[in-house]
Amino acid sequence: MSYAETETASQPACWRRAAALADDHRAVLPAAGERVAVVGCGTSFYMAQAYAALREGSGQGESDAFAASEFPHGRGYDRVVALTRSGTTTEVLELLDRVRPASRTVAVTADPLTPVRDAADDLVVLDFADERSVVQTRFATSALTLLRAHLGLHTEEAVRDAERALAEPLPEGLPERTQFSFLGRGWTVGLAHEAALKMKEASLAWTESYPAMEYRHGPISVSTSGTATWMFGAAPEGLAEQVRATGAQWVESGLDPLADLVRVQRLALARAAAQGLDPDAPRHLTRSVVLDQA
Amino acid sequence: MSYAETETASQPACWRRAAALADDHRAVLPAAGERVAVVGCGTSFYMAQAYAALREGSGQGESDAFAASEFPHGRGYDRVVALTRSGTTTEVLELLDRVRPASRTVAVTADPLTPVRDAADDLVVLDFADERSVVQTRFATSALTLLRAHLGLHTEEAVRDAERALAEPLPEGLPERTQFSFLGRGWTVGLAHEAALKMKEASLAWTESYPAMEYRHGPISVSTSGTATWMFGAAPEGLAEQVRATGAQWVESGLDPLADLVRVQRLALARAAAQGLDPDAPRHLTRSVVLDQA
């Protein structure tokens, strides 16, 4: 069994632990009313998008998400939240260095012994959710769960839904599809982007991801009888019918959207296995991107 | 010849006209220092991203871009700029209705007789850049050129580069690639997204698009000897070498990035022609998305 499979399966337990830590870290996480930027790279950037939309949507203050490399340095933020599994990613470390001390910084990381320890003002350590696989699963979802719990938006039902997502069979015919489009609205847009990335990293699939209402503005043109369109959370009215009219498979569930992401992780691993790919060591990727310094 | 081909070829002339109009519209376009949101759907959203990054990057004020359907309604903006070729897109009209009168609104449109006339406070009309093709080319790039000229960032060199982009041969071997990844930084991220959309709408290609520094955080895994990676503007150090090491074709040019987008439009049309597809009537798409009102 790959590390990725073991780590994926451990998510319900990790989420319970992460949620329980939210109160302990209250003093270093964004307070209501603060203007906040949330940053990361790759999977962490997509979790940043989900958290920023959840936070602003719940009325706790303006919250922007940026890929660390695209941070708009002219702006002022009360606090910058960095998500970094390894604590070594070059763009994140450079960004933290540059925004201090104007912004208070907090890093959510799996490894308290890496350079992010000195780069951020505060640390939230989720070492129990660290991973051996290059492809991230449980660290990312546990970090989001902790942040969601801090916002008062985590429920035990989300954990039970993740257990269901691990136990129940995937929709029939899905692994054989040739193209996958993932859609979200609000905080689930970030989940859609992460789902697309997971599928391409682990199984080299042709995947796309969009805010759901954007799908009709061009991307639906690639949908056909060989493809699948997967909605995170509630779908816009009429969209399921329009997608089915293209011949594509429409996928949605009543699960908590973060638990629904677990189903995509399983799909990605199933497709990887069918192709003889190793999700612990995907093509051209390393666990953390550390760039040569000029 | 398709409308799309004729419209693509007319861009240098359209850009000159659009740039010349910037001064006439100075009173209704964002003033320096204003906090601005730029909105659109599909191609217009990607142009909004490019303009917002250009504006903020030039020190003229905070500028955010949103898909119209994902606008964060709790926020206050001095001005909302809507890009809408048809002036009929449901999400844009609903958004303009909702942000007035708290924000001053201006719509850039090709058709002054459509509902956006009543929905926005101010109009900028680029009727000479209107299009018959469903797939947008010259309206989008002319709108961005006008906005760029208003920022003082348009040059005649960009127009001459567009003429070169139309006249010179495309890089060899490109139409035969099976996957295309487009990359940008800052304002060219929006151009990368538009390039990817153009290729999929017109030629049903597998395309992806990212901020360039994000490419190493996962997406590079799909690159292989059959694929191409296309950089808009200056590339991050070392990236060309890393992409070539995957076997992929690396594409960049010294052209103005907006002119480089014209090369992608040509590539999309060439691929469409080779497959017998009609870019004026792409699969599952209409010229404007008008939703049934509940």
Side-chain angles (χ1 to χ4, degrees), chain B residues 166-187:
Chain B
L166 287 163
E168 294 178 2
L170 291 172
E172 231 169 288
L174 213 44
E176 293 73 38
R177 299 280 156 175
T178 55
Q179 192 276 335
F180 300 84
S181 295
F182 298 95
L183 307 179
R185 300 183 87 171
W187 77 283

Side-chain angles (χ1 to χ4, degrees), chain B residues 229-251:
Chain B
T229 300
W230 185 308
M231 180 73 212
F232 284 94
E237 200 180 321
L239 188 57
E241 293 70 26
Q242 281 179 274
V243 168
R244 289 197 190 98
T246 70
Q249 183 172 0
W250 173 260
V251 184

Side-chain angles (χ1 to χ4, degrees), chain A residues 10-27:
Chain A
S10 73
Q11 288 176 107
C14 287
W15 293 6
R16 285 201 176 93
R17 287 186 70 171
L21 287 173
D23 263 345
D24 299 348
H25 293 290
R26 186 158 299 274

Side-chain angles (χ1 to χ4, degrees), chain B residues 15-16 22 25 31 34 36 51 91 97-98 108 152 159-160 163 188 211 246 253 255 271 275 280 287-288 292:
Chain B
W15 294 7
R16 284 200 177 94
H25 293 291
E34 287 183 350
V36 170
Y51 167 53
E91 294 106 292
D97 191 51
R98 196 161 157 197
V108 183
V159 181
R160 283 197 301 267
E163 289 167 340
T188 69
T246 70
S253 78
L255 299 175
R271 279 180 47 98
Q275 293 171 83
D280 294 337
R287 191 168 176 284
S288 160
D292 291 337

Side-chain angles (χ1 to χ4, degrees), chain A residues 106-261:
Chain A
V106 56
V108 182
T109 186
D111 186 348
L113 303 178
T114 52
V116 78
R117 175 181 52 178
D118 300 317
D121 297 307
D122 304 305
L123 279 192
V124 172
V125 178
L126 303 179
D127 49 1
F128 59 87
D130 202 0
E131 294 165 320
R132 301 283 293 269
S133 172
V134 166
V135 172
Q136 276 203 50
T137 55
R138 74 182 183 190
F139 175 75
T141 60
S142 296
L144 182 56
T145 296
L146 176 135
L147 294 166
R148 206 178 169 192
H150 169 67
L151 295 173
L153 298 172
H154 171 75
T155 62
E156 172 61 21
E157 191 181 353
V159 181
R160 283 197 300 266
D161 280 355
E163 289 167 340
R164 281 181 54 197
L166 287 163
E168 295 178 2
L170 290 172
E172 229 168 291
L174 213 43
E176 294 73 36
R177 298 279 156 175
T178 55
Q179 192 277 335
F180 301 83
S181 295
F182 297 96
L183 308 179
R185 300 183 87 171
W187 77 283
T188 69
V189 173
L191 302 185
H193 293 327
E194 168 58 7
L197 180 62
K198 208 71 350 183
M199 291 284 286
K200 68 186 68 162
E201 285 179 332
S203 77
L204 305 178
W206 174 3
T207 62
E208 306 191 353
S209 50
Y210 303 95
M213 296 292 286
E214 282 289 292
Y215 188 58
R216 286 179 274 222
H217 293 283
I220 195 172
S221 56
V222 305
S223 292
T224 181
S225 57
T227 70
T229 300
W230 185 307
M231 180 74 213
F232 285 93
E237 199 180 322
L239 189 58
E241 293 69 25
Q242 280 179 274
V243 168
R244 287 196 191 100
T246 70
Q249 183 171 1
W250 173 260
V251 185
E252 64 177 312
S253 78
L255 298 176
D256 180 272
L258 190 57
D260 205 23
L261 179 62

Side-chain angles (χ1 to χ4, degrees), chain A residues 35 64 75 200 210, chain B residues 35 62 64 75 200 210:
Chain A
R35 189 185 195 202
D64 289 315
R75 297 195 185 191
K200 68 186 68 162
Y210 303 95
Chain B
R35 190 186 195 202
E62 281 192 13
D64 288 316
R75 297 195 186 192
K200 69 186 68 164
Y210 304 95

